[in-house]
Amino acid sequence: MSQSPADPPTSVSGPTAPAAPANPLADVKQLGMWAAIASLGYVFWVVGAMEMIERLAYYGVRAVATLYATRPASEHGLGVTMAQFGWLLLCWNLAQSLVPIFTGGLSDRYGYKQTIFVSTLLKCLAYLIMAWWQTFAGFFVGAMFLAVGTAVFKPGIQGTLIKATNRLNSSMAWGIFYQTVNIGGWIGPLIALHMRSHMGWQMVFYTNAAFICLNFLLLLTYREPGLEERLARRERIRAGLEQEKPLWRESLAELRKPHLTVYLLIFSVWWLMFPMLWDVLPKYVEDWVDTRPMVTFLFGADGAQNALARFFLGMDSAGQHIQPEGIVNINAGMIMLTCFLFAGLSAKMRATDSLLAGTLLIVTALTVFGMTRQVGWAVLAMVIFSAGEMLASPKYSEFLGNVAPPDKKAMWIGFSQAPILIGWTIEGKLGPHLYHMFSDKDQLARRTLVEELGWSRDAVSQQALPVGEAFRKLVEVTGQSPEALTRELYEAYHVGTTWFVFAGIGVLSAVMIYLYGRWIRKLAQRPMQP
């Protein structure tokens, strides 16, 4: 059973929520899969479409950002190391996670539609800055605009989702929402791959600017759930009939609730390991995973000749290799096709049990990435990771949305960014830094030139040998094939260390989720103080 408190029925259509139990943490049986889907109103589907478009544009940049930043300047990349790119990710994640903690309450007070409109303007400007200013500084500024725009966008969208559902259908609603938006998360990187391969990086950013503008059209069909109640309350406040506390005071009062504070602390650790898939995996696949055996298995020695197959599998123009975006995109593709099934499964589980099971699967996937560079195992790890994500990630937001007071839904969704603020911000620097130390092929090639071939450190400096060029130089000097040299480097160094560190963090978070679940079940057995 899902753990969820009573939530007043504010959806445009849907079943009436049951009366609140004595303890809002007590379990309530949810509707079956088809009944829950049928209960979802049109506002739910509108915000799902808006999030899908936003994710298409966002991951059209985020999924390729690591490659764009670390590709050498000779390949029209920015030519920075993973360690340098980590500073950008740290600032990006910090801004994207910090702002919603404050804007969530603003969305509750002043309207979801208004904040969604502002965020769309900011995000469009962000993509245009990236297109106009193709330097590391320009990409940094564009990323900051994109981070703030995303931060303003989330509370309004997810606050709408919470108010358009209730505790009878919340598990299926969050699962369907997660599945719908991953259509955007799946197609965005494929479009970006096509654009960068055939038209250059600038067209990647122009394309995403055009896509995000579609949300202006969807806003014309959007109607905020609970709008009348919000406007009536604003009128009472203006008339002096009701007092309103400052947002900071209301936020602190909510954060004093132990079951909220502990939950946020646990997931601050959880978010340390979860984003590795997007921040580090594209570079890992590009450096170490040879995808040709998978292409040969699927299409034969001549590779994929069908243009549609090359596009949807994220392959190069010759159809001989699956690009990093194609491997990472297994995640969004699997979620897009199957998340409603996992949502139905998680609806039959306690929230903390679903979170625990998903976390353990994610830990397994990270461990597999660290154990081998074989493409078949990488694909299997992606499948395991995706299954874990579908059990855990939607439940994370659903649980908070359900336990939130009715008039503070967006505020609590804003609080959900606090663990992301802490965990993802640290991971944004730590993940690429550890990869730079233990796993980066360019850095390991420089070490080999110095330690094995006797080159001076000045000869392998970035001034003498630009970022991204060291492995090519090692191939040239040794006369070995790139494939053989890659295998030797992988066997000589502890490349998987980065993944094992984050798998260990996942184990720690799993233990804390288990203990939290036991505590919550005890709290649910006694009346809760208002």
Side-chain angles (χ1 to χ4, degrees):
M1 307 290 181
S2 288
Q3 290 176 325
S4 53
D7 188 18
T10 54
S11 63
V12 172
S13 67
T16 300
N23 189 318
L25 293 175
D27 296 338
V28 167
K29 184 176 181 179
Q30 298 207 357
L31 293 171
M33 180 171 69
W34 298 113
I37 292 174
S39 73
L40 299 172
Y42 90 92
V43 171
F44 170 84
W45 300 106
V46 169
V47 295
M50 293 175 71
E51 178 82 359
M52 179 181 70
I53 289 171
E54 189 270 344
R55 291 290 87 181
L56 187 157
Y58 179 84
Y59 279 110
V61 168
R62 186 72 190 233
V64 300
T66 305
L67 303 178
Y68 178 54
T70 58
R71 286 273 174 93
S74 61
E75 297 180 12
H76 308 291
L78 299 180
V80 301
T81 67
M82 281 291 283
Q84 292 169 313
F85 180 61
W87 286 112
L88 183 149
L89 286 182
L90 185 149
C91 296
W92 188 340
N93 299 341
L94 178 64
Q96 187 168 311
S97 306
L98 180 63
V99 173
I101 297 175
F102 304 100
T103 60
L106 292 175
S107 296
D108 280 327
R109 288 192 178 185
Y110 302 111
Y112 299 157
K113 189 171 188 175
Q114 290 83 346
T115 54
I116 293 170
F117 178 84
V118 170
S119 73
T120 304
L121 283 177
L122 289 172
K123 290 169 79 68
C124 181
L125 181 59
Y127 298 127
L128 292 176
I129 289 172
M130 293 175 182
W132 295 335
W133 194 2
Q134 294 186 70
T135 64
F136 185 68
F139 190 69
F140 188 98
V141 172
M144 293 305 100
F145 272 86
L146 184 56
V148 174
T150 303
V152 175
F153 182 80
K154 287 293 184 184
I157 288 290
Q158 295 187 357
T160 301
L161 175 62
I162 292 167
K163 288 194 171 186
T165 58
N166 56 56
R167 67 181 308 183
L168 286 177
N169 60 13
S170 60
S171 286
M172 184 56 62
W174 278 98
I176 292 290
F177 179 76
Y178 208 72
Q179 180 170 2
T180 302
V181 302
N182 268 275
I183 298 173
W186 176 71
I187 196 68
L190 296 180
I191 294 173
L193 169 60
H194 180 80
M195 291 297 171
R196 73 171 174 85
S197 299
H198 295 88
M199 302 181 188
W201 287 103
Q202 190 176 40
M203 283 305 299
V204 172
F205 308 125
Y206 279 133
T207 300
N208 291 315
F211 274 122
I212 197 63
C213 288
L214 294 176
N215 271 348
F216 289 125
L217 299 178
L218 284 173
L219 270 175
L220 298 176
T221 70
Y222 172 88
R223 182 175 180 273
E224 180 183 329
L227 175 63
E228 293 80 7
E229 293 89 340
R230 180 177 63 80
L231 293 178
R233 183 166 185 262
R234 301 307 307 171
E235 187 60 37
R236 291 195 302 272
I237 292 170
R238 280 193 292 267
L241 301 176
E242 182 177 333
Q243 289 189 336
E244 186 174 57
K245 296 179 181 177
L247 275 175
W248 66 268
R249 187 173 295 173
E250 285 193 352
S251 297
L252 288 178
E254 295 299 309
L255 287 170
R256 291 193 187 100
K257 296 178 178 178
H259 62 284
L260 171 62
T261 305
V262 174
Y263 188 81
L264 297 179
L265 288 174
I266 291 171
F267 277 89
S268 296
V269 177
W270 193 87
W271 272 95
L272 257 173
M273 58 94 186
F274 181 64
M276 286 288 289
L277 189 81
W278 300 278
D279 291 346
V280 172
L281 186 61
K283 183 63 175 174
Y284 176 78
V285 172
E286 181 172 66
D287 279 352
W288 303 109
V289 179
D290 182 4
T291 60
R292 285 181 303 171
M294 180 68 70
V295 174
T296 301
F297 174 77
L298 293 174
F299 301 103
D302 294 333
Q305 304 303 313
N306 185 281
L308 286 177
R310 292 198 299 269
F311 176 80
F312 286 113
L313 292 178
M315 304 179 73
D316 62 1
S317 57
Q320 296 292 327
H321 297 268
I322 300 174
Q323 300 286 70
E325 297 98 319
I327 296 296
V328 176
N329 231 27
I330 293 171
N331 172 253
M334 185 173 169
I335 294 172
M336 177 182 68
L337 295 174
T338 66
C339 194
F340 74 100
L341 298 174
F342 284 88
L345 174 62
S346 67
K348 300 178 184 299
M349 304 168 66
R350 293 180 182 274
T352 51
D353 290 344
S354 184
L355 289 165
L356 177 60
T359 301
L360 291 175
L361 287 173
I362 291 171
V363 168
T364 301
L366 296 179
T367 304
V368 172
F369 281 129
M371 290 174 59
T372 176
R373 57 182 285 266
Q374 299 298 320
V375 63
W377 285 103
V379 170
L380 177 61
M382 288 299 307
V383 171
I384 295 171
F385 186 99
S386 302
E389 180 181 350
M390 285 185 279
L391 287 174
S393 191
K395 214 69 175 179
Y396 166 69
S397 297
E398 179 203 341
F399 181 83
L400 273 184
N402 281 335
V403 300
D407 62 337
K408 295 182 175 62
K409 297 297 187 183
M411 178 182 286
W412 279 51
I413 287 296
F415 291 156
S416 75
Q417 299 300 302
I420 305 174
L421 166 67
I422 298 169
W424 199 7
T425 298
I426 296 173
E427 182 278 335
K429 177 56 182 171
L430 181 61
H433 183 73
L434 288 178
Y435 189 86
H436 179 82
M437 290 175 57
F438 296 111
S439 311
D440 191 284
K441 184 191 283 190
D442 188 74
Q443 294 302 311
L444 296 180
R446 293 173 195 272
R447 285 179 57 183
T448 302
L449 287 169
V450 171
E451 297 172 4
E452 302 294 331
L453 300 181
W455 285 38
S456 68
R457 298 202 175 273
D458 289 339
V460 299
S461 67
Q462 293 181 23
Q463 290 74 27
L465 199 58
V467 173
E469 302 290 350
F471 182 74
R472 294 178 186 175
K473 178 60 67 175
L474 187 60
V475 170
E476 176 187 323
V477 170
T478 62
Q480 293 182 262
S481 69
E483 293 79 12
L485 201 52
T486 296
R487 185 170 56 253
E488 285 190 15
L489 289 175
Y490 184 86
E491 293 172 354
Y493 298 99
H494 302 291
V495 172
T497 299
T498 304
W499 298 105
F500 295 143
V501 169
F502 285 90
I505 294 172
V507 171
L508 175 61
S509 65
V511 171
M512 291 191 292
I513 290 170
Y514 171 75
L515 295 175
Y516 181 80
R518 293 185 61 182
W519 177 53
I520 284 293
R521 285 193 284 275
K522 290 180 180 178
L523 289 180
Q525 294 171 1
R526 61 177 184 262
M528 179 172 282
Q529 297 298 321

